[in-house]
Amino acid sequence: MRIIVGGFQHETNTFATSKAGMDAFERGGGWPALVSGDAMFPALEGTNFPAAGFIAAAHAHGHDIIPTLWCAASPSAHVTQDAYETIAARLLAQIRAALPADALFLDLHGAMVCEHLEDGEGELLERVRNIVGNELPLVVSLDLHANVSTRMLELADMLVAFRTYPHVDRADTGVRAFEYLQRRLEGMPRQPVWWRRQPYLIPLCWQSTFLEPARTLYERLGALENQPGVGSLSWCMGFPAADIADCGGMLWGYGTEDAGRKAVDILFQVILDAESEFAGTLYTPEAAVQEAMLLASCSGQPVIISDAQDNPGAGSDSDTTGLLRALITAGAQQAAIGLIVDGESAAAAHAAGVGTTLRLALGGKSGVAGDTPLVADYEVEALSDGRFLAQGPFYRGVHMALGPSACLRLGGVRIVVTTNKAQMADRGMFRFVGITPEAARILVVKSSVHFRADFQPIASHVLVAAAPGSMEMDPAQLPWTRLSDTLRLRPCGPTLQQWRTQANNDSQESH
C-alpha cells in the first residue's frame, strides 16, 4: 500500500514571551530540524518520535512510505502566521503531489495555537481533508498534552495519543497508530468515536505517569482497551497554559456503542474520582535548596530539583535565575544547573576561553516578572559547539544542536549555558560540557516532568520548585479569558466563573 507520512508539531503556551517563527522549526534544537522528502528517513530513524515508530512498522509490513515533511519547534508562545502558513502550504502541496494513495498518517502535537488560529491541528486536518477527501483513511498521533478539539475528532479516522509522561512511548504510539491503520487497510470500517471533556485542569508537575494517580489511571485505560468491541482508547490530560476554548483534558475511544462508549464512560468516572489526588509539595527556591542540601548530606546519590516553571518544554525560555540565586546564596557545593539559555553569555565565554574568569550578566533576559540577570564573575570551565547524541529514554537518538555552549562555575555551582533552548531531560545535557551528573550532590533541571525518565533512576530524592518562569504550576494563577466558565482551574479548585467573581470582589474591596 502507498501510505503518505508527514508531521508538524508545536506545543503552544499562550502566556509565554517568545513566539515560534520559521527559524524555530528550521533550527530544531532538541528536535530534528525541518526535513522534507527522503531526508525524513535518516532524520527520524531510531528516534523516539511517533513518525519513526510508524515508518518502521509500515516498512516491516512491506508498505511503500511516501515522505512529505516533518518538523517541530521548541514549545513557546504562538506559532507565527507566516510560519504556520508556510509549513502548512508545503505539507499540503507534498500530500497533493503524493496522491493517489491508500492512507495518510500525520505526526502532530495537538496543542498548537497560532497568531491567527486557535486550533492549529483542526485547521490543518480540515485543509488535508479538502485535498484527500473524506474516504481516505487518515490516522493522527498526538501528544499526551494535546488540547483536543471536537473538530479534530470528527476529521480523523483515529487520533491516538501517548500514554506516558515523561513521553517515553512516542515511537510506540506511532506503532499503535499503524496497527489501527493496518486493520483499516484490511477492510475494517471506520469506527465511531465517543468522547468526554475533563472538567478540571491538572498542573503539569502532577501529571507524571511515574506518580499517582496518573500511573494507575493509564493502567486502567490499557485494561479497558483490551475489552472486546473497543478499538482504541486515548486520554490527554491537556496542556494547561493555552488560553483557548478547548484547553484541558479530553478522553475518547473508538468501538461499538455497547463496548466503546461503555469503556469511555467507565474511565471518565474514574478520572473524576481521582481529581483530588493530583497534588504534591511545591517548594520555593530557597526551601528547595535547603531541603536538597539536608538530603544530600546523608545520601550518596544526587538530589534533583525540578525548576518546573522555567521549563522550555512548556514554552518558557529557560533563562530565569531564581534557583541559581538560591544555590549561590545557600553556599551549595557540588551542585549543577542547566540549561541556562543565554547566547550572549555563551559567546562571551567562547571569546574568553577555558580557564578565564569574566564578568557576566547571566540569564534573566526573557522579561519574566520577578527575574533579573545574575551579575557575577564566572569561571569558564569548558566549551562546546553544543552538538552531541542524546541517549536517554526521552530524547533517544536525537542529535542535539544547542549552539555554542559553556560550563561556567560560580562558587560551588556549575552552570550549563547554551545558545539554543531544549528541555533538560537527558543526562548527556550535563555531560557534553564535562559535568558528570551522577557525581553531583544537587542537580537543578529546567524541566517539569520529562527529566524523570533519565534522572530519577540516579536520584535519592526529587523536589519540585516554583521559581519565576512562564509556566505556572498553579493554572489558577494565569489570566484566563477564553476557557469554559465551568472548567475548574486546578483539581478541586475554582471554576473560571468563580475565579472571575472573586477577582472582581477583590478589586472592589481594594478600591
Side-chain angles (χ1 to χ4, degrees), residues 294-315:
L294 178 64
L295 293 169
S297 68
C298 53
S299 173
Q301 293 178 285
V303 176
I304 311 296
I305 302 176
S306 162
D307 192 353
Q309 297 194 153
D310 194 33
N311 170 19

Side-chain angles (χ1 to χ4, degrees), residues 40-199:
M40 281 176 54
F41 295 134
L44 294 172
E45 185 178 8
T47 63
N48 183 30
F49 292 109
F54 182 94
I55 290 169
H59 276 156
H61 277 71
H63 295 305
D64 185 13
I65 299 300
I66 314 302
T68 56
L69 172 154
W70 191 97
C71 65
S74 289
S76 67
H78 305 71
V79 175
T80 65
Q81 182 173 351
D82 173 69
Y84 181 86
E85 294 298 339
T86 299
I87 295 169
R90 291 183 190 176
L91 177 59
L92 294 170
Q94 292 185 60
I95 290 173
R96 185 180 288 109
L99 295 173
D102 298 291
L104 172 61
F105 167 73
L106 291 177
D107 183 3
L108 306 180
H109 185 285
M112 182 190 297
V113 185
C114 309
E115 290 177 323
H116 62 310
L117 297 168
E118 276 200 1
D119 183 8
E121 286 86 0
E123 175 66 21
L124 183 67
L125 291 178
E126 187 164 312
R127 295 184 190 184
V128 167
R129 278 297 187 199
N130 288 337
I131 292 172
V132 305
N134 293 324
E135 300 305 315
L136 188 78
L138 169 56
V139 177
V140 178
S141 61
L142 294 177
D143 194 285
L144 179 146
H145 294 115
N147 290 320
V148 179
S149 67
T150 55
R151 187 184 188 190
M152 293 162 61
L153 288 163
E154 291 164 353
L155 287 165
D157 282 57
M158 174 175 280
L159 304 176
V160 55
F162 310 162
R163 296 179 179 178
T164 63
Y165 184 32
H167 303 327
V168 295
D169 70 329
R170 291 183 292 182
D172 292 340
T173 300
V175 174
R176 287 192 288 115
F178 170 76
E179 290 170 348
Y180 171 81
L181 183 57
Q182 180 65 25
R183 295 197 298 272
R184 288 282 283 118
L185 293 173
E186 291 171 354
M188 183 184 76
R190 180 173 175 175
Q191 295 179 305
V193 60
W194 319 94
W195 66 83
R196 302 286 184 271
R197 193 169 290 281
Q198 185 178 305

Side-chain angles (χ1 to χ4, degrees), residues 227-447:
Q227 299 298 311
V230 181
S232 173
L233 285 175
S234 286
W235 172 41
C236 286
M237 287 187 272
F239 183 59
D243 194 12
I244 58 174
D246 289 319
C247 179
M250 176 74 90
L251 166 67
W252 69 95
Y254 302 87
T256 66
E257 181 167 3
D258 287 343
R261 187 157 96 175
K262 181 179 179 181
V264 169
D265 287 342
I266 290 172
L267 188 58
F268 186 63
Q269 186 59 53
V270 175
I271 292 168
L272 294 180
D273 293 342
E275 181 173 359
S276 64
E277 299 175 47
F278 286 101
T281 301
L282 198 60
Y283 292 84
T284 66
E286 296 75 18
V289 170
Q290 291 294 335
E291 180 70 7
M293 291 174 67
L294 178 64
L295 293 169
S297 68
C298 53
S299 173
Q301 293 178 285
V303 176
I304 311 296
I305 302 176
S306 162
D307 192 353
Q309 297 194 153
D310 194 33
N311 170 19
S316 293
D317 284 337
S318 193
D319 79 333
T320 63
T321 59
L323 270 158
L324 175 57
R325 290 175 189 275
L327 289 169
I328 298 302
T329 300
Q333 300 297 311
Q334 294 178 257
I337 181 172
L339 303 176
I340 299 286
V341 180
D342 184 343
E344 294 178 11
S345 294
H350 274 256
V354 173
T356 61
T357 298
L358 69 163
R359 195 159 188 81
L360 295 171
L362 182 65
K365 297 178 174 65
S366 57
V368 171
D371 188 67
T372 58
L374 180 54
V375 179
D377 295 321
Y378 297 87
E379 178 187 351
V380 182
E381 281 202 347
L383 299 171
S384 170
D385 63 3
R387 295 187 177 277
F388 61 95
L389 178 66
Q391 300 182 34
F394 175 69
Y395 281 124
R396 184 190 72 227
V398 173
H399 292 271
M400 305 295 284
L402 301 180
S405 304
C407 174
L408 305 180
R409 178 183 284 277
L410 184 59
V413 182
R414 300 163 86 187
I415 308 151
V416 186
V417 181
T418 66
T419 299
N420 300 331
K421 73 175 183 176
Q423 183 173 180
M424 176 57 89
D426 193 287
R427 282 183 251 170
M429 299 172 81
F430 281 115
R431 291 194 189 106
F432 85 106
V433 288
I435 299 171
T436 302
E438 297 83 357
R441 298 181 70 183
I442 299 173
L443 293 172
V444 176
V445 294
K446 287 186 177 284
S447 171

